[in-house]
Amino acid sequence: MPLLPIIHQQALEDLIRDKIGHKYKEKIDMSEEQGAFQDVTAKSIRVLVSGLEQRLDAALKDMSKTNWSTFDMVGEESSYVRSIHLTVHPFVCKVRELIPSSYFRSFCDKFALLFISTYYKALIGLKKISEMGTQQLLLDVYSIKTLLLKLPVLEAEKKTVASSRLKTNTNLSGGSTIAPAMYTKMINKEFRKLEVRLHIVYNILSYIIHIDWHLTNAHHSLLGHAQIGRQPQGDAC
């Protein structure tokens, strides 16, 4: 059940002053209650953020356990990414239903920054990555960035009936509503570090493969010249 709208402390003070006797009006001070309320609100948001992050531990462990050095082709987003989508989407939609919009925005900001930091640490902890593995990770990073960019405007799942069967139409990126500009700027800035690191790894691997190809060809060429230059020896007279 959604929370009831919260009356601002200043508005509540004014309401009490209107109802109370004149000689008591100036004695109305709710600054202490306001501070306590803000503390409770901040702690509640931290609990929500921590709860969602903990639900994503399994997905990040799956990413860390994946052997990225054996990838020889790039496919769709990895299974751990799909798991992140399916965990984040309903959780965030439920939080959006239960708390006021200003607190929901704070929740999105705090969760996004915390998760990006955790995801970054998981990425740099990967030991061996192939060229194709790097490309797959770049695709995964883009998918997660897209999800986080839509975080403030995620919508609940909608059910539609098609072909006489009930089907669920899940839009993991939410609706088409654009997230706040400052939030979008923050997400793009934080993800740039991840993308730059992966691009550097990819370029290094591509260079190594390029050099290895040339060295192999040069080696084969030298062997070919050596065999051509070797004269057959006749039988001794």
Side-chain angles (χ1 to χ4, degrees):
M1 179 179 179
L3 295 177
L4 295 175
I6 298 174
I7 301 176
H8 192 277
Q9 281 75 14
Q10 185 60 51
L12 183 58
E13 285 186 29
D14 294 339
L15 180 63
I16 295 174
R17 286 194 180 100
D18 289 339
K19 302 296 182 180
I20 203 169
H22 180 74
K23 64 178 181 179
Y24 298 109
K25 289 183 183 293
E26 299 304 321
K27 295 182 179 181
I28 303 300
D29 182 6
M30 300 189 67
S31 57
E32 184 176 345
E33 286 75 13
Q34 182 176 1
F37 174 76
Q38 290 175 344
D39 288 343
V40 171
T41 301
K43 290 177 181 178
S44 300
I45 292 175
R46 287 198 296 270
V47 169
L48 290 171
V49 169
S50 176
L52 179 52
E53 188 195 28
Q54 289 176 10
R55 284 168 168 79
L56 300 176
D57 284 347
L60 293 180
K61 287 180 181 178
D62 287 344
M63 182 196 77
S64 299
K65 292 178 181 178
T66 300
N67 188 353
W68 297 99
S69 64
T70 60
F71 275 66
D72 56 4
M73 64 178 295
V74 179
E76 298 180 349
E77 59 189 23
S78 302
S79 59
Y80 82 89
V81 176
R82 184 67 179 174
S83 178
I84 289 174
H85 275 267
L86 294 175
T87 301
V88 169
H89 187 268
F91 189 99
V92 172
C93 288
K94 179 57 67 174
V95 171
R96 186 180 185 182
E97 292 176 2
L98 295 176
I99 65 176
S101 58
S102 58
Y103 301 131
F104 177 68
R105 170 62 192 278
S106 177
F107 163 79
C108 291
D109 290 347
K110 287 178 170 55
F111 169 72
L113 288 174
L114 180 62
F115 179 73
I116 292 171
S117 175
T118 302
Y119 187 44
Y120 180 78
K121 291 176 183 177
L123 280 175
I124 63 176
L126 300 177
K127 301 302 180 183
K128 295 182 179 180
I129 311 175
S130 67
E131 184 182 19
M132 289 296 100
T134 306
Q135 287 192 4
Q136 181 63 51
L137 284 170
L138 282 169
L139 177 65
D140 294 344
V141 166
Y142 176 78
S143 179
I144 293 176
K145 181 175 75 171
T146 301
L147 173 66
L148 292 184
L149 283 171
K150 290 288 187 178
L151 213 62
V153 292
L154 280 178
E155 296 178 350
E157 297 177 358
K158 298 177 181 179
K159 293 184 178 180
T160 58
V161 179
S163 303
S164 301
R165 292 180 301 175
L166 187 64
K167 294 183 179 181
T168 302
N169 178 23
T170 305
N171 182 1
L172 293 178
S173 295
S176 60
T177 306
I178 299 175
M182 290 300 295
Y183 176 84
T184 299
K185 182 178 179 180
M186 177 189 74
I187 295 299
N188 286 327
K189 178 183 177 181
E190 293 299 319
F191 265 91
R192 196 169 297 120
K193 294 185 293 185
L194 280 72
E195 293 166 335
V196 167
R197 184 179 182 87
L198 287 173
H199 277 297
I200 290 174
V201 172
Y202 176 76
N203 289 334
I204 291 175
L205 290 172
S206 297
Y207 180 75
I208 291 174
I209 292 173
H210 179 73
I211 294 297
D212 183 65
W213 183 83
H214 280 284
L215 289 175
T216 301
N217 281 351
H219 178 68
H220 289 162
S221 178
L222 288 172
L223 287 177
H225 284 302
Q227 290 177 356
I228 292 174
R230 186 181 300 162
Q231 297 296 328
Q233 296 180 355
D235 294 334
C237 296

